[in-house]
Amino acid sequence: MSDGRVSVVSKVAVVTGAGSGVGRAVALELLETGWSVVLAGRREETLAETARLAGGGPPAPVVPTDVASPQRVDALFAAVRERFGRLDLLFNNAGSFGPRGVPLEDLAYEDWRSVVDTNLTGAFLCAQAAFRLMRDQDPRGGRIINNGSLSAHVPRPDSVAYTATKHAITGLTKSLSLDGRRYGIACGQIDIGNAATEMTERMSAGVPQASGEVVAEPVMDVADVARTVRHMASLPLEANVQFATVMATAMPYIGRG
């Protein structure tokens, strides 16, 4: 049985937030399985480290990008067009949790705005630029996979900005999926729970629960997330995983609250 590795050779992907965590894991998985991957993120040094970790094969282009900036996003996709002439996949992954443990009533406007600009506006700007490229290329079409979160379904305590943006990502995914039909663009969403990354290191020490308790939570290997994204990306455009939830089996999500 094929695992989808041969069919994706020479396809082109953009991964945002590729300098660490889920973005790095997905970028490396795609590179290992034959994709050409453009690495986008704020910090050039961490993107370069992702490129080094990829090992053999053609070097992955590194494009420092602030996804909240229309000009920087335009420059990113212009670089993709110039280098490859097309785009087959956007993994809309860049995101920020914002300050942790801050009650809603104490959250600064600037912190709210920063999370919204990165998580929601950034995802929109990248999707819009990808639409324009995928619409105009020959053959037409492509795929967008948005990184949602279990917070796209239920919140954690003191996470209003992150949770609101991740709920909004679900609306963005549905709109992109509908509006992309006329251009042969498929859009799906992956909702991730407790993948072992720098962002979830605190899980083993304990995180606040809805009850007010602080409880350690299990995590899963981030490579399992990367393999799921790769499977979603390897489908023909006639098929789409609209929503996928990948989570640590025993984490307190089912029944949270």
Side-chain angles (χ1 to χ4, degrees):
M1 179 181 292
S2 171
D3 66 356
R5 291 174 181 249
V6 176
S7 62
V8 298
V9 171
S10 79
K11 287 192 175 181
V12 179
V14 168
V15 176
T16 65
S20 63
V22 169
R24 172 176 284 177
V26 168
L28 293 176
E29 175 72 15
L30 292 174
L31 286 163
E32 182 183 341
T33 53
W35 289 75
S36 296
V37 181
V38 178
L39 307 175
R42 289 189 178 184
R43 294 180 293 166
E44 185 171 7
E45 63 274 16
T46 60
L47 296 174
E49 177 62 18
T50 299
R52 283 192 292 271
L53 290 171
V62 168
V63 183
T65 307
D66 178 358
V67 297
S69 164
Q71 295 77 22
R72 298 293 294 275
V73 170
D74 285 346
L76 166 63
F77 285 88
V80 174
R81 185 190 298 271
E82 180 178 354
R83 174 141 185 179
F84 296 105
R86 66 174 294 106
L87 176 65
D88 298 287
L89 172 69
L90 165 64
F91 182 43
N92 237 342
N93 167 73
S96 170
F97 192 86
R100 297 184 183 276
V102 177
L104 180 151
E105 62 271 24
D106 296 330
L107 184 67
Y109 169 78
E110 293 76 14
D111 291 327
W112 163 271
R113 183 62 184 268
S114 176
V115 174
V116 171
D117 285 350
T118 299
N119 294 5
L120 181 56
T121 302
F124 161 74
L125 291 172
C126 289
Q128 184 182 56
F131 252 54
R132 291 168 176 162
L133 183 49
M134 292 172 177
R135 176 196 63 191
D136 296 339
Q137 64 195 14
D138 185 21
R140 173 185 271 190
R143 189 181 306 275
I144 297 171
I145 300 174
N146 292 327
N147 187 348
S149 170
L150 295 193
S151 292
H153 304 273
V154 291
R156 288 186 179 277
D158 299 329
S159 66
V160 63
Y162 183 79
T163 298
T165 58
K166 291 304 183 178
H167 274 66
I169 287 294
T170 298
L172 180 67
T173 296
K174 291 178 179 179
S175 288
L176 295 176
S177 187
L178 180 60
D179 293 344
R181 288 178 183 175
R182 59 184 174 267
Y183 304 128
I185 299 172
C187 182
Q189 179 171 316
I190 184 166
D191 296 323
I192 302 166
N194 288 14
T197 67
E198 300 92 329
M199 183 178 286
T200 60
E201 286 179 349
R202 65 195 184 101
M203 297 295 177
S204 59
V207 290
Q209 306 294 308
S211 64
E213 296 178 277
V214 175
V215 176
E217 293 188 10
V219 296
M220 64 174 175
D221 192 336
V222 70
D224 293 319
V225 175
R227 284 190 285 269
T228 303
V229 172
R230 191 257 298 168
H231 168 71
M232 295 169 70
S234 67
L235 292 172
L237 291 178
E238 293 76 18
N240 187 41
V241 176
Q242 189 67 67
F243 293 98
T245 300
V246 184
M247 54 179 273
T249 303
M251 70 174 291
Y253 164 59
I254 302 299
R256 185 189 288 181

